[in-house]
Amino acid sequence: MAKKYTVDELNGLSKESMMVVILSMQEQLEQLNQNMERLIEQIAVANNQRYGRSSEKLEVMDGQLNLDFIFNEAEALTETLYVVEPAEDDVLPAKKKKQVGKRDKDLAGLPVVEIPHVLSEEELTEIFGVNGWKQLPDEVYKRVKVEPAVYTVEEHHVAVYAGRDNQTIVKADRL
């Protein structure tokens, strides 16, 4: 391993010393390039031996099935027998449609806690102006809240407001 020079040491070297250092670095660089080319060649040879055509020419080993026999047998059977293909309805199962109201049925026996989400009069006045709004029916969604050994359905009522001009619709913030 060659000596490592600092910036101050390089600044203090004479022209002849710098030439010697640069020439030695060129020799090291050439050796590194040759080593790298040899390694690339060795890797290529190893990959060729491992994955090349010669690896595909294996003879049948004991205990292993011969694929040629299997494929030839299948061809022989199809040539001698006429196979009736089943209908598409027999092969593919029918798609099940979602039942309407199934979620409501599943949640019917659980206790319900209603959680309102509304905007204050000040917020509505700021958005729409004085008496510039009307309340539409609430948007209702349900979430199942799971606590250990207790299931509770939270029914969120989100207030929906519309301007009298029917151009702007605002929903209350959700938690």
Side-chain angles (χ1 to χ4, degrees):
M1 182 108 181
K3 179 185 177 200
K4 291 187 178 181
Y5 293 98
T6 63
V7 175
D8 294 333
E9 290 175 340
L10 287 174
N11 285 334
L13 289 177
S14 66
K15 185 176 179 180
E16 292 80 24
S17 302
M18 287 287 270
M19 291 173 77
V20 170
V21 169
I22 290 174
L23 289 174
S24 67
M25 288 176 63
Q26 284 179 341
E27 290 175 12
Q28 288 178 353
L29 187 61
E30 286 179 20
Q31 284 182 338
L32 288 173
N33 283 337
Q34 288 175 355
N35 288 343
M36 189 170 61
E37 288 175 9
R38 281 192 219 120
L39 285 174
I40 290 171
E41 188 176 330
Q42 288 176 355
I43 290 171
V45 168
N47 282 341
N48 194 20
Q49 286 176 347
R50 184 169 184 183
Y51 301 113
R53 286 185 168 229
S54 62
S55 66
E56 296 176 3
K57 296 180 182 177
L58 294 178
E59 294 297 321
V60 177
M61 299 174 143
D62 292 336
Q64 213 176 27
L65 289 176
N66 186 352
L67 293 178
D68 291 334
F69 169 73
I70 293 172
F71 289 127
N72 290 339
E73 181 183 20
E75 289 174 4
L77 287 176
T78 56
E79 289 174 1
T80 58
L81 297 175
Y82 177 74
V83 178
V84 177
E85 301 243 349
E88 185 177 324
D89 297 335
D90 297 337
V91 177
L92 298 175
K95 292 184 180 180
K96 295 182 181 179
K97 293 185 179 181
K98 292 183 179 179
Q99 294 178 355
V100 177
K102 182 178 183 315
R103 182 178 167 103
D104 291 332
K105 284 184 207 173
D106 292 343
L107 300 177
L110 300 174
V112 176
V113 176
E114 189 173 310
I115 301 173
H117 302 277
V118 294
L119 293 176
S120 67
E121 290 284 332
E122 293 82 25
E123 291 173 319
L124 290 170
T125 304
E126 182 181 319
I127 295 171
F128 297 112
V130 179
N131 290 332
W133 58 275
K134 61 184 175 184
Q135 185 164 356
L136 302 175
D138 289 347
E139 177 182 287
V140 178
Y141 66 94
K142 297 178 181 181
R143 286 189 182 155
V144 177
K145 182 179 179 182
V146 179
E147 296 173 359
V150 177
Y151 291 92
T152 306
V153 175
E154 294 179 340
E155 188 172 273
H156 294 259
H157 289 258
V158 180
V160 180
Y161 306 95
R164 296 258 182 228
D165 59 358
N166 288 331
Q167 296 297 318
T168 308
I169 295 178
V170 176
K171 294 181 184 178
D173 294 331
R174 300 179 182 198
L175 300 177

